[in-house]
Amino acid sequence: MHAAAPLLPLVRLLQLASPALPVGAYTYSQGLEWAVESGAVAREADAAAWIGDLLACSLARFEAPLMAGQLAAWSRGEDAEVLRLNADFLASRETAELRAETVQMGWSLVKLLAELDAFAALPGWRARLQAIDTPCFPTAWSAAAAAWQVPAAQALAAYLWAWAENQVMAAVKAVPLGQSAGQRLLATLGERIPALVESALSLPEARWSNYTPGLAIASSRHETQYTRLFRS
């Protein structure tokens, strides 16, 4: 019993990173669908470049360090700092689709966590999370990771992995690619995650940046795309 106890945060982390988490992540492509429609992503190598660039230039340079800050703030009881970072993340969403995505997924995760005894039974955590107006997805996700005492490096690695997995699944459907191609993409992307996590944990806020104009253009063009499988 005692030997297995340290594994519980890992088990909770696997639950948070699972594609089965009912937050609707599978319905979003974050502009990838338009990139396929435009011809920018037409084969496996294109998908690897598109997803890999967003992982390194957007997720690892802004979303991941912001989440690291939220993890620390949640753990220290600094809810005002959590609110500040939540507002910063919402303000960083360049298009209506990207903002709607994080708001919808954040709302869904808050609702789920409020109903889960494994989270709601922890003293004070449900009230702290529900006190946030318009929680974005990283805010809700980091609250669960902090409440379940998941180490920051592991939490960020799992968050980046879950994002990459969702992007690869979108590429498999939209390009389309085979399942083996999807696994090759995940293997390649996964190799980059440890270094990206290490960088995100040490990146000062003054150097955070989500400057990815290609993503903003793809997302805005997707809003008026004629036929769509995904909501972003």
Side-chain angles (χ1 to χ4, degrees):
M1 180 67 70
H2 293 293
L7 291 176
L8 184 56
L10 174 60
V11 173
R12 299 299 189 208
L13 181 60
L14 291 172
Q15 182 177 4
L16 276 176
S18 170
L21 194 72
V23 295
Y26 70 94
T27 66
Y28 298 102
S29 80
Q30 296 193 350
L32 176 59
E33 186 174 27
W34 181 83
V36 173
E37 176 73 12
S38 69
V41 175
R43 56 189 188 278
E44 182 180 337
D46 301 332
W50 178 274
I51 299 170
D53 284 351
L54 286 180
L55 180 65
C57 299
S58 180
L59 271 289
R61 291 175 58 193
F62 185 79
E63 199 161 334
L66 182 142
M67 177 175 284
Q70 288 189 315
L71 283 166
W74 280 121
S75 298
R76 293 194 297 257
E78 298 173 354
D79 290 11
E81 177 68 359
V82 173
L83 284 170
R84 182 185 74 83
L85 293 171
N86 183 74
D88 284 354
F89 188 78
L90 287 173
S92 75
R93 302 301 87 189
E94 299 98 331
T95 68
E97 283 190 350
L98 292 176
R99 189 182 193 281
E101 175 182 347
T102 196
V103 169
Q104 179 272 304
M105 290 176 60
W107 180 88
S108 296
L109 185 53
V110 169
K111 183 176 184 295
L112 173 66
L113 292 171
E115 297 171 352
L116 284 180
D117 288 343
F119 179 85
L122 298 173
W125 278 95
R126 178 163 58 181
R128 292 174 68 191
L129 182 54
Q130 291 181 323
I132 297 178
D133 183 37
T134 317
C136 62
F137 185 61
T139 301
W141 205 96
S142 63
W148 287 331
Q149 300 181 5
V150 177
Q154 294 181 17
L156 293 189
Y159 187 85
L160 294 181
W161 171 264
W163 178 88
E165 185 175 30
N166 191 68
Q167 285 283 287
V168 168
M169 290 170 63
V172 167
K173 296 174 186 176
V175 174
L177 302 173
Q179 295 297 324
S180 294
Q183 290 303 310
R184 287 193 295 269
L185 287 173
L186 284 173
T188 299
L189 293 166
E191 289 178 355
R192 303 177 64 178
I193 287 177
L196 293 175
V197 167
E198 183 177 359
S199 175
L201 286 170
S202 61
L203 191 67
E205 187 170 353
R207 294 180 57 196
W208 294 1
S209 172
N210 70 327
Y211 181 68
T212 47
L215 170 61
I217 292 170
S219 178
S220 62
R221 295 295 296 272
H222 184 268
E223 292 176 358
T224 57
Q225 189 170 319
Y226 181 66
T227 57
R228 300 187 297 178
L229 293 173
F230 299 94
R231 298 168 66 182
S232 74

